[in-house]
């Protein structure tokens, strides 16, 4: 399938995401579509880049899920970030000489490897440069929120919070139709993401399901009442900064912020 | 990344009398790995429980894929006022 057709125009999640953080011209959009046109399919559970490697290309997720993780010598793993379509995994790597963590896919994914020459073109454009800064700052805000999740929220609140975040991030790039999306990986992946055991993940999923906050079918999660799940998880989307999409007066219909 | 998974074990949990049965299970290499998973889950369950009541009981019961109960792991938390407090 031609990735150019599949991810053309606003179906391109990278372009779609950047419109929240930058006021893009038609030429900027063409440039973003051009640098994100060369997709490749990556199987699930495959490293895009591993700890210790010297990075060259920046990785952009166009479909599926990837994550940022670190493994301890005895095999324990912590997932520090999830990447959904439209996310750049490692914008910073061209400045840092060596990877201090790994980035790998959780599901089958479509990825673009953006070479340094293309990154230079993006960074030389002041509007896109601002958008990339915005992306980096949102990533930091998300990491702060996950720290709050891990340090202060109970597992049921934390799981609700993570699901609300994924839902909104996917919605903001035109995915998660019907308030439903694939779980990002297995129960073990969720456990490593939340910093709890897989048994406790199973238990917590069952608790949320029994309370009618989520429904699960296969690996797919359905949120019957988004506002209710948000209230349960104490989810405030402020840290995703999706309202900054003042660009060209576009309404952010896909990212409703219910107060 | 994970060891070769050979058997599915199910972990029913009970927190303060409320039972949550496990429909998914986990693939683990042997019963000892299942015991470890059960024991490691207990402190997480305890952390999630409200501290309002003076005592808490947590348990994990492990079933194998035939439905045979193979292990029970428990954790109790008790607090009581001492005289003069």
């Amino acid at each position: 399938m031609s990735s150019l057709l599949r991810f053309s125009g606003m179906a391109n999640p990278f372009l779609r995401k950047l419109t929240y953080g930058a006021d893009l011209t038609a030429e900027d959009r063409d440039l973003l579509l051009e640098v994100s046109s060369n997709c490749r399919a990556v199987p699930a559970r495959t490293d895009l880049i591993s700890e210790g490697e010297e990075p060259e290309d920046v990785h952009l997720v166009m479909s599926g899920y990837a994550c940022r993780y670190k493994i301890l010598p005895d095999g324990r793993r912590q997932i520090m970030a999830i990447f959904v379509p439209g996310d750049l995994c490692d914008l910073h790597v061209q400045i840092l000489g060596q990877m201090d963590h790994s980035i790998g896919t959780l599901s089958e994914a479509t990825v673009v490897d953006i070479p340094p020459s293309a990154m230079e073109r993006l960074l030389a454009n002041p509007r896109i440069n601002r958008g990339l800064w915005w992306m980096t700052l949102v990533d930091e805000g998300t990491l702060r929120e996950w720290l709050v999740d891990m340090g202060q929220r109970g597992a049921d609140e934390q799981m609700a919070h993570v699901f609300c975040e994924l839902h909104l991030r996917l919605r903001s790039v035109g995915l998660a139709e019907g308030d439903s999306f694939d779980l990002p990986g297995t129960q073990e992946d969720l456990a490593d993401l939340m910093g709890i055991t897989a048994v406790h993940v199973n238990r917590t999923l069952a608790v949320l399901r029994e309370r009618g906050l989520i429904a699960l079918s296969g690996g797919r999660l359905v949120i019957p009442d988004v506002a209710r799940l948000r209230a349960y998880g104490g989810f405030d989307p402020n840290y995703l900064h999706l309202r900054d999409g003042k660009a060209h007066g576009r309404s952010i219909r896909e990212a409703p912020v219910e107060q | 990344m994970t060891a070769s998974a050979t058997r599915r074990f199910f972990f029913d949990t009970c927190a303060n009398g409320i039972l949550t049965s496990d429909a998914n299970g986990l693939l683990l290499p042997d019963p000892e790995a299942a015991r470890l998973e059960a024991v490691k889950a207990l402190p997480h369950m305890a952390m999630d429980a409200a501290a309002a009541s003076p005592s808490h009981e947590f348990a994990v019961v492990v079933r194998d894929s035939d439905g045979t109960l193979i292990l029970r792991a428990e954790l109790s938390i008790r607090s009581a006022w001492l005289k003069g407090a």
Side-chain angles (χ1 to χ4, degrees):
Chain A
M1 170 180 14
S2 164
S3 55
L4 280 170
L5 282 177
R6 187 175 167 199
F7 297 121
S8 61
M10 285 307 273
N12 182 306
F14 182 44
L15 169 58
R16 193 148 176 164
K17 180 166 179 186
L18 266 183
T19 58
Y20 292 105
D23 198 354
L24 302 172
T25 65
E27 291 76 24
D28 300 342
R29 289 160 178 262
D30 289 343
L31 175 57
L32 290 166
L33 291 175
E34 184 195 328
V35 302
S36 58
S37 62
N38 199 5
C39 299
R40 68 182 168 103
V42 182
R45 319 203 152 269
T46 306
D47 271 4
L48 299 175
I49 188 161
S50 308
E51 183 170 355
E53 286 184 355
E54 290 178 14
E56 189 169 323
D57 296 342
V58 169
H59 300 95
L60 165 64
V61 176
M62 296 296 275
S63 75
Y65 293 112
C67 71
R68 188 194 306 285
Y69 71 93
K70 200 147 182 161
I71 287 195
L72 299 182
D74 65 1
R76 281 174 292 165
R77 176 183 65 158
Q78 182 66 49
I79 293 176
M80 291 89 74
I82 284 204
F83 301 112
V84 303
D87 288 344
L88 287 168
C89 304
D90 44 8
L91 188 53
H92 52 288
V93 298
Q94 287 174 332
I95 295 171
L96 307 177
Q98 196 184 50
M99 287 297 285
D100 57 41
H101 60 272
S102 303
I103 291 166
T105 55
L106 287 170
S107 66
E108 286 183 6
T110 312
V111 170
V112 178
D113 306 304
I114 306 179
S117 57
M119 281 310 300
E120 276 167 31
R121 288 174 68 200
L122 293 180
L123 292 168
N125 176 310
R127 291 166 302 279
I128 294 176
N129 191 310
R130 183 193 185 277
L132 296 177
W133 259 109
W134 170 82
M135 273 182 151
T136 305
L137 296 173
V138 169
D139 285 350
E140 284 183 17
T142 305
L143 188 60
R144 283 194 292 275
E145 199 68 24
W146 281 31
L147 202 53
V148 175
D149 272 346
M150 295 232 247
Q152 302 300 329
R153 291 189 172 106
D156 52 344
E157 297 167 310
Q158 182 185 6
M159 187 176 274
H161 196 277
V162 167
F163 289 161
C164 289
E165 176 189 307
L166 278 174
H167 169 256
L168 183 53
R169 286 169 64 190
L170 290 166
R171 283 282 299 274
S172 72
V173 291
L175 302 171
E177 277 176 41
D179 296 327
S180 144
F181 53 91
D182 290 335
L183 278 178
T186 61
Q187 282 140 8
E188 285 87 348
D189 294 327
L190 273 176
D192 291 349
L193 180 161
M194 293 174 63
I196 63 177
T197 69
V199 170
H200 201 37
V201 164
N202 265 354
R203 174 185 158 76
T204 308
L205 281 170
V207 167
L208 294 185
R209 212 167 36 199
E210 278 165 18
R211 293 183 183 169
L213 290 160
I214 61 166
L216 284 169
S217 133
R220 205 156 170 87
L221 177 101
V222 184
I223 305 176
D225 183 340
V226 172
R228 204 172 140 233
L229 189 66
R230 285 184 177 184
Y232 191 88
F235 178 75
D236 180 341
N238 61 355
Y239 67 97
L240 296 173
H241 298 279
L242 290 168
R243 280 199 155 174
D244 277 357
K246 58 180 185 267
H248 43 264
R250 238 195 130 68
S251 73
I252 305 176
R253 197 164 48 81
E254 294 78 14
V257 181
E258 286 133 26
Q259 300 293 344
Chain B
M1 216 183 289
T2 48
S4 63
T6 51
R7 295 170 59 185
R8 190 170 289 276
F9 295 91
F10 296 84
F11 300 80
D12 299 329
T13 55
C14 188
N16 296 323
I18 299 166
L19 186 79
T20 307
S21 76
D22 177 11
N24 302 311
L26 287 176
L27 284 170
L28 294 167
D30 53 41
E32 176 58 15
R35 189 188 69 81
L36 275 174
E37 288 297 328
V39 169
K40 281 192 300 181
L42 285 167
H44 287 295
M45 290 167 59
M47 278 194 288
D48 277 0
S53 130
S55 68
H56 297 279
E57 303 284 342
F58 306 94
V60 180
V61 174
V62 184
R63 281 180 281 132
D64 66 14
S65 46
D66 305 327
T68 310
L69 305 182
I70 62 165
L71 180 105
R72 180 181 173 89
E74 292 176 337
L75 176 68
S76 301
I77 296 175
R78 292 182 216 294
S79 60
W81 295 111
L82 301 177
K83 275 184 187 160

